[in-house]
């Protein structure tokens, strides 16, 4: 089936329509931009970590604009009204919208458990955590539009877990991977809702008024006169082209397909009818604790700083200096291209804000393991880790707050795991990156291998392997069989096996996904040789130690 790009409305791309840009060209080409509403109402702190936490949790990094609306950003009032009207026509309320968004794994926390001390009270997100909203305006003509995009905290904020492994969605931990965010379901449902509701403009706008009684006449006119006609034309084109919003599959809850999204932004998937089945380089969202030890980023180590240094090098803790942090921030700014639909030039402009966010990222620690740990086993497991794991995953030393990473080798390895993700970052895409304005910050390479990550926060990172194809540490270590299929999303944690669990009588807080490891890109094999000589008792010792990281 042919898949067309989801130009998320193609909104306002008309001369003289709307511009929040800073140049005459932006004005003439019809550009509009906005800023995170939370940051607009924020008085910046003198504390760098506090400023970084605000950018990480609520920053827009320049991604709220009409250019980003060509692929990712959304006219929020209209989109959310379509979702509610399609899924809950008898209850057009914010409560219904919240239930719908929670079903995709978005969170509405009352508390950020690891908010920096001295940073004041954490603000509440205007919508869901990680959904960044801002309103752009224009006076010629009279334009007003609330724009939404996904920020860092959509993927990198997780519920905390209690002593029984039950999730606490009202209390989140920044920097931990969100295991329930289902971008594929979210995108498909938005598309279906807009197709189903856009034929009756009056009804759709009435639903928007019901959800947002404070919506101005100016914004309603913008939606009716500018957004709806272009959105309807685009939807009709997509339906005729094959009834699909994206040229690639985004995976399931807790995984992303960033390489395919980047290829889409660079026009590499246009007209490629085989892309939907081929481009399945799914990756599990990583924990951000100790990621500043990395000298190359992404699961395959494809991005390294363009500073002439060897990308595969040992990184001791005392080498993590401001220059290294700034280099990683320069790379990370480019993540806004696939995730927020920004241009390469806009990603370069976002580097200062990403550097601010890194002041917080560098402090991220995992939630302490909430269950019990057999310390005698863990001490034996520490020795086993040093023998079997540290050459790839780094050396830890005990401290008063548990093991701390002190050296990280930054290697590339092939350990028999599913190769699809490494293959999708091909030389053609690396060449695109290296020819873009981001080249002053990134040296991209198609490595064909995987970069073993730090294991700090591993208990908080289920399911496992780069593609999230193994539900528990017990299964990864070989204490039990790796299942062919399992569910993930809205789950509890089995604190004994350390992994995804749905106890009897448990009600998931989001819609679970079915993981099928027989699908392309989801193979659950490999990463077994290092455990082959261990007895079950030794594997249990190692598992107990991993709980402490």
């Amino acid at each position: 089936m042919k898949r067309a790009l989801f130009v998320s409305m193609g909104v306002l791309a008309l001369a003289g329509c709307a511009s929040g840009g800073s140049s005459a060209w932006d004005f003439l080409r019809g550009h509009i931009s906005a800023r995170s509403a939370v940051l607009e109402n924020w008085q910046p702190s003198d504390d760098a970590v506090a400023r970084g936490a605000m950018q990480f949790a609520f920053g827009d990094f320049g991604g709220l604009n009409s250019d980003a609306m060509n692929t990712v950003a959304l006219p929020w009032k209209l989109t959310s009204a379509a979702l509610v009207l399609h899924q809950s026509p008898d209850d057009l309320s914010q409560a219904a919208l919240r239930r719908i968004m929670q079903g995709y794994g978005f969170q509405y926390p009352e508390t950020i458990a690891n908010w920096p001390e001295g940073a004041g009270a954490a603000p509440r997100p205007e919508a869901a955590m990680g959904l960044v909203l801002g309103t752009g305006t224009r006076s010629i003509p009279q334009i007003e539009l609330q724009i939404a995009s996904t920020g860092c905290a959509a993927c990198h904020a997780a519920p905390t877990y209690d002593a029984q492994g039950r999730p606490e969605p009202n209390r989140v931990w920044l920097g931990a991977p969100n295991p329930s965010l289902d971008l594929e379901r979210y995108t498909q449902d938005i598309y279906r809702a807009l197709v189903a509701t856009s034929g009756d403009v009056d009804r759709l706008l009435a639903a928007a008024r019901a959800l947002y009684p404070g919506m101005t006449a100016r914004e309603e006119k913008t939606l009716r006169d500018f957004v709806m006609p272009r959105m309807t034309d685009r939807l009709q084109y997509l339906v005729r082209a094959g009834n699909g919003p994206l040229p690639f599959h985004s995976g399931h809850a807790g995984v992303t397909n960033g390489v395919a999204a980047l290829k889409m932004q660079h026009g590499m998937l246009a007209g490629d009818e085989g892309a939907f089945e081929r481009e399945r380089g799914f990756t599990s969202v990583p924990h951000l604790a100790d990621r500043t030890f990395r000298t190359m980023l992404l699961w395959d180590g494809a991005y390294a700083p363009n500073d002439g240094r060897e990308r595969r090098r040992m990184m001791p803790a005392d080498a993590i200096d401001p220059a290294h942090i700034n280099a990683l921030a320069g790379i990370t700014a480019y993540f806004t291209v696939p995730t927020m639909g920004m241009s390469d030039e806009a990603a370069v402009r976002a580097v200062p804000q990403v550097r601010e966010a890194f002041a917080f990222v560098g402090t991220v620690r995992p939630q302490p393991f909430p269950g019990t740990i057999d310390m005698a086993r863990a001490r034996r497991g520490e020795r086993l880790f040093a023998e079997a794991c540290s050459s790839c995953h780094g050396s830890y030393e005990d401290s008063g707050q548990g093991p701390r990473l002190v050296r990280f080798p930054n290697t590339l390895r092939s350990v028999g795991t599913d190769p699809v993700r490494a293959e999708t970052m091909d030389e053609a895409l690396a060449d695109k990156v290296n020819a873009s304005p981001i080249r002053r910050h990134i040296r991209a390479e198609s490595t064909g291998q995987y970069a073993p990550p730090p294991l700090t926060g591993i208990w908080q990172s289920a399911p496992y392997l780069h593609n999230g194809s193994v539900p528990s540490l017990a299964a990864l270590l070989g204490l039990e069989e790796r299942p062919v299929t399992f569910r993930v999303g809205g789950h509890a944690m089995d604190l004994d096996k350390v992994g995804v669990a749905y106890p009897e009588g448990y009600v998931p807080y989001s819609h679970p996904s079915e993981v099928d490891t027989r699908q392309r890109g989801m193979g659950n094999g490999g990463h077994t040789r290092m455990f082959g000589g261990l007895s079950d008792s030794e594997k249990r010792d190692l598992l107990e130690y991993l709980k402490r990281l």
Side-chain angles (χ1 to χ4, degrees), residues 45-226:
S45 168
D46 292 332
D47 182 78
V49 175
R51 292 197 305 274
M54 285 293 297
Q55 289 285 3
F56 184 84
F58 305 106
D60 59 76
F61 303 104
L64 298 178
N65 58 69
S66 51
D67 291 341
M69 292 178 80
N70 284 329
T71 49
V72 175
L74 297 163
W76 183 241
K77 289 186 175 70
L78 198 66
T79 303
S80 56
L83 279 172
V84 176
L85 190 60
H86 189 230
Q87 297 189 35
S88 180
D90 297 327
D91 181 13
L92 302 179
S93 69
Q94 285 291 325
L97 175 61
R98 177 169 175 161
R99 288 193 301 271
I100 291 167
M101 295 297 290
Q102 285 174 323
Y104 305 125
F106 286 98
Q107 299 168 87
Y108 291 77
E110 297 176 2
T111 304
I112 298 176
N114 60 333
W115 192 249
E117 291 185 15
R124 290 285 187 90
E126 188 175 9
M129 193 79 202
L131 190 68
V132 183
L133 303 182
T135 299
T137 61
R138 268 288 296 200
S139 57
I140 304 175
Q142 290 286 312
I143 295 293
E144 179 178 331
L145 185 65
Q146 187 181 55
I147 305 171
S149 190
T150 51
C152 303
C155 291
H156 295 288
T160 56
Y161 292 87
D162 67 16
Q164 286 72 48
R166 298 296 176 114
E168 302 170 310
N170 289 335
R171 184 174 181 267
V172 301
W173 197 273
L174 285 182
N178 183 348
S180 301
L181 185 64
D182 191 338
L183 294 174
E184 176 69 14
R185 183 191 293 265
Y186 177 56
T187 302
Q188 295 287 346
D189 279 3
I190 286 174
Y191 175 66
R192 284 190 284 264
L194 289 171
V195 169
T197 62
S198 61
D200 190 338
V201 176
D202 290 338
R203 184 168 178 248
L204 182 53
L205 289 176
R209 286 194 301 273
L211 282 176
Y212 305 99
M215 182 172 66
T216 66
R218 181 179 178 182
E219 182 162 16
E220 183 172 346
K221 182 174 175 58
T222 299
L223 294 174
R224 182 184 292 277
D225 293 350
F226 291 111

Side-chain angles (χ1 to χ4, degrees), residues 347-372:
V348 174
R349 292 195 296 270
V351 169
Q353 290 76 41
V354 178
R355 284 177 175 164
E356 275 202 317
F358 258 73
F360 169 72
V361 171
T363 70
V364 168
R365 303 299 308 163
Q367 178 192 349
F369 185 73
T372 59

